[in-house]
Amino acid sequence: MNYEKLSLLQALRRWPRITMYSIFLSLNILLWGYDSAIVGNVSSMPVFMKVFGVPNPDYGGGDSDNKYIIESIWLSIWSIGMPIGSMIGAGTGGWIQDRTGRKWTLLIGGVVSVIAITVCYVADLAKGGKQGVLLVGKLLEGLVVGVIICSTQTYLSEVVPARLRGPILALFPIFTLLGQLVAAVVVLLQLGTEGKSGYRVALASEYPFSAVPIILAFVLPESPVWLIRKEKIEQARSCFKRLHGATVAATHQDLFDEMHKAVHEEQEKARGHSANYIDCFRGANLRRTFIVVFAYTIEELWGLTLLGHVSYFLQLIGLDSSAAFIILILGVVFGLFANIASFWTLLRFGRRLLILSTLSLVAVVWLSMGIAGCFESKAVPYYIAAAMMAIVITAGLGAWPAGYVVASETSSLRLRSKTTGLGWLIGGIIRLVFGFTVPYLYNTDAANLGGKIGFVYIATTGLGVAITWFFVPEMKGLSSSEIDRLFERGAKPWQTGTGFRRVNTSQFERVDSTEDETPLRNFKTMSSDRSDYDSYSGDINVQEPMAPQDAFEPLRKRPTF
């Protein structure tokens, strides 16, 4: 059946249980968003600054809250502790997933996360070096967050039907923003609390988010794709049934067939060679790995780092603190609504088209902002604020969520966990570079570009458009096997379809056997009877003979570009 004809509501009704599992699993992303914001917000609490800081040499007396400050060195190290830890976790997460499975990796990450939060909670009890103890806790927490996020994304990309991949993976930026918003609200509510309990409650409030992966590890079925790779076909079939429900699983056996087919084809190509990180940089996988890394850095190219500093940035160019704070809140709200609206855009349009169009529009807005920054007027700060809101909305409708979708569906199933880990690792390094560099571009004691920083982001968004045009093919609606063939046959990205409605997959349709000299196995015409899979025993290349017209339907050759 052509599932691409389903509307979002029809797809949700067709696969209600897998949708429910996916939403619950996506709650892990709240931990990422919350943890990335909690240290910066807690550091602004006066009692925290008193315990972990030093007396402010510029304190002028009175009852102000600036009697103490956090030393810059510790503030900087704490802010990068979580990203560095997450990069390490992402790099090792693929290895852990391939050995323990997706769900038990979540359990390991959740348990270690509880330990890390406890270390942060008791850091102020250290007689000396309490700042270092807090750093250890943040590094450890960042490590397990990297593992949990990579495992979550790998699982979703393996089990979610192609029609729902876009909307489900669009939950990543949504829950990241929600996590950051919750962290800000929790700290705001604790500002009036006397004593150490104020910031301790804020730190301890992260415990419920760590409990989510632990609970999921016991209620979530293992990924059928991982079980098939381990040649546990019956267990994979049972988990597939649990994910979809007995009735839906029975009427959608083609989804399980496609999983089995994709894994089988990749195992045949590997010829018994176990997957390793080096494979991610060989042959067609090199291009796929590059696309995954690029997809994880798209948000930096269109300006997310600067937008994260919007309150401080707008104050530098002339807005008062209250107006800047309102703009910050509006940015989060607009980002949430735009990413929710992307459920529709990701179903209606292709990933490639969305990234190209929205990045191009964002570049135009950055240009207008850069031009506005060349003038001195009371209206300029307000125009720049409006431009930044327009950027959030435009990117939220396309490039922001589409980047996560492209990153999830590009890699091969065999290397998915490792490629995802590498994407987060290398992408994290690039995010650190942007996080370190951007403040120097706009701060008054450095380049002091102000609104003219828009010219810099024209270059970065232009780079994103160029990379998308020359490297990222349209994959909307394609199965894992079709995506494999797309890369293996070296299709030019700009000739893979516009994605306006659906990718043109006519090159994969049945044709007469005379048109193709090297037919590929077509599981769509293969019986879903258990015997078809039970015949695989011992060497994966041994299979039960089948009628040529049933088992080896030739596929149309891709056109030569």
Side-chain angles (χ1 to χ4, degrees):
M1 177 180 175
N2 182 10
Y3 296 122
E4 285 298 298
K5 295 180 179 179
L6 297 175
S7 66
L8 176 59
L9 185 58
Q10 289 172 331
L12 294 176
R13 288 175 175 174
R14 181 176 288 269
W15 299 297
R17 183 174 291 192
I18 191 68
T19 300
M20 178 190 67
Y21 274 121
S22 298
I23 292 174
F24 286 145
L25 187 60
S26 298
L27 292 176
N28 287 325
I29 307 165
L30 288 171
L31 177 62
W32 162 262
Y34 191 92
D35 195 73
S36 64
I38 193 65
V39 171
N41 287 311
V42 167
S43 299
S44 66
M45 301 177 71
V47 66
F48 182 90
M49 289 191 284
K50 180 179 180 180
V51 174
F52 287 89
V54 295
N56 185 359
D58 297 325
Y59 174 58
D63 297 327
S64 63
D65 292 330
N66 63 347
K67 295 180 182 179
Y68 299 90
I69 60 171
I70 303 293
E71 293 178 285
S72 297
I73 182 63
W74 284 114
L75 202 58
S76 298
I77 292 177
W78 288 340
S79 65
I80 66 173
M82 191 266 189
I84 290 177
S86 65
M87 288 189 297
I88 299 173
T92 58
W95 181 84
I96 297 174
Q97 288 182 62
D98 285 345
R99 278 152 183 79
T100 65
R102 314 312 188 209
K103 59 179 291 184
W104 299 121
T105 302
L106 294 176
L107 176 62
I108 295 171
V111 171
V112 179
S113 177
V114 171
I115 296 174
I117 295 171
T118 303
V119 172
C120 294
Y121 185 82
V122 301
D124 58 0
L125 299 179
K127 294 183 178 179
K130 60 187 68 169
Q131 296 90 344
V133 175
L134 183 63
L135 174 61
V136 171
K138 296 314 299 177
L139 282 169
L140 187 60
E141 178 65 12
L143 188 148
V144 297
V145 166
V147 171
I148 291 171
I149 293 299
C150 286
S151 183
T152 298
Q153 189 163 4
T154 300
Y155 189 102
L156 291 174
S157 65
E158 289 177 340
V159 305
V160 175
R163 186 56 176 163
L164 286 176
R165 276 201 307 252
I168 292 299
L169 292 168
L171 292 173
F172 267 74
I174 291 174
F175 280 125
T176 299
L177 287 170
L178 280 176
Q180 294 172 347
L181 186 61
V182 171
V185 171
V186 167
V187 172
L188 184 63
L189 293 175
Q190 293 299 319
L191 283 177
T193 304
E194 298 291 336
K196 297 180 180 180
S197 60
Y199 67 80
R200 279 186 168 182
V201 169
L203 292 172
S205 64
E206 198 168 351
Y207 278 122
F209 298 103
S210 297
V212 172
I214 296 176
I215 296 172
L216 285 171
F218 290 100
V219 301
L220 192 72
E222 183 55 83
S223 167
V225 171
W226 183 81
L227 291 169
I228 292 172
R229 286 185 58 211
K230 298 299 181 180
E231 300 184 15
K232 300 177 180 179
I233 307 301
E234 288 307 314
Q235 291 184 37
R237 199 186 303 278
S238 175
C239 288
F240 179 81
K241 185 180 295 185
R242 284 182 60 195
L243 279 170
H244 288 277
T247 303
V248 175
T251 56
H252 291 80
Q253 184 65 30
D254 58 314
L255 297 179
F256 184 84
D257 294 347
E258 174 56 38
M259 290 180 185
H260 190 281
K261 167 195 172 186
V263 174
H264 172 60
E265 287 183 350
E266 291 185 354
Q267 288 177 328
E268 282 190 328
K269 294 168 190 172
R271 297 180 181 178
H273 174 67
S274 59
N276 57 59
Y277 285 99
I278 300 299
D279 291 336
C280 298
F281 301 97
R282 290 174 175 163
N285 288 321
L286 175 60
R287 177 184 167 195
R288 300 172 84 160
T289 302
F290 173 77
I291 293 173
V292 170
V293 173
F294 164 69
Y296 281 127
T297 58
I298 285 179
E299 58 191 23
E300 300 300 330
L301 297 180
W302 60 257
L304 185 60
T305 294
L306 179 61
L307 294 172
H309 303 169
V310 65
S311 179
Y312 178 64
F313 173 74
L314 291 177
Q315 291 180 61
L316 289 180
I317 63 174
L319 281 186
D320 60 74
S321 58
S322 59
F325 182 75
I326 292 174
I327 295 297
L328 172 63
I329 299 298
L330 286 176
V332 175
V333 173
F334 287 157
L336 283 172
F337 280 111
N339 278 279
I340 292 172
S342 72
F343 289 177
W344 179 81
T345 59
L346 287 167
L347 282 177
R348 183 67 176 83
F349 308 103
R351 292 76 158 105
R352 174 181 166 85
L353 178 63
L354 282 174
I355 295 174
L356 287 172
S357 59
T358 54
L359 284 184
S360 299
L361 290 173
V362 165
V364 173
V365 180
W366 280 122
L367 175 61
S368 70
M369 175 175 155
I371 294 174
C374 296
F375 299 92
E376 292 187 6
S377 169
K378 292 182 178 180
V380 168
Y382 293 96
Y383 178 82
I384 291 177
M388 298 181 84
M389 295 303 98
I391 290 169
V392 169
I393 295 172
T394 304
L397 289 171
W400 196 354
Y404 285 97
V405 180
V406 169
S408 298
E409 62 189 4
T410 300
S411 58
S412 66
L413 288 177
R414 174 172 169 266
L415 297 173
R416 182 148 298 176
S417 60
K418 290 180 172 58
T419 306
T420 300
L422 285 172
W424 279 91
L425 172 61
I426 302 174
I429 295 173
I430 296 173
R431 284 192 292 271
L432 281 179
V433 172
F434 272 85
F436 181 81
T437 305
V438 169
Y440 281 92
L441 294 176
Y442 68 75
N443 217 26
T444 53
D445 63 351
N448 193 22
L449 292 179
K452 292 189 287 292
I453 196 174
F455 294 128
V456 176
Y457 276 107
I458 292 174
T460 57
T461 51
L463 177 63
V465 170
I467 292 176
T468 303
W469 177 263
F470 287 106
F471 291 96
V472 181
E474 184 54 68
M475 294 173 283
K476 179 174 179 286
L478 297 184
S479 66
S480 297
S481 297
E482 290 172 328
I483 292 174
D484 287 342
R485 289 193 287 273
L486 194 70
F487 284 99
E488 289 166 5
R489 300 185 183 188
K492 300 288 194 307
W494 54 88
Q495 294 177 329
T496 55
T498 62
F500 187 80
R501 286 187 178 273
R502 189 187 190 283
V503 179
N504 179 14
T505 57
S506 60
Q507 61 267 34
F508 304 120
E509 294 176 356
R510 284 182 57 182
V511 294
D512 295 335
S513 59
T514 56
E515 292 187 31
D516 199 335
E517 297 177 359
T518 310
L520 298 175
R521 190 175 186 85
N522 187 344
F523 273 55
K524 291 182 179 180
T525 60
M526 174 178 167
S527 169
S528 60
D529 187 82
R530 284 179 52 184
S531 61
D532 294 334
Y533 300 104
D534 293 341
S535 60
Y536 293 101
S537 58
D539 190 342
I540 193 66
N541 292 313
V542 178
Q543 59 189 46
E544 180 180 308
M546 301 176 69
Q549 65 272 23
D550 293 328
F552 292 92
E553 296 279 5
L555 304 176
R556 188 188 306 276
K557 280 187 174 180
R558 291 194 63 91
T560 302
F561 301 132

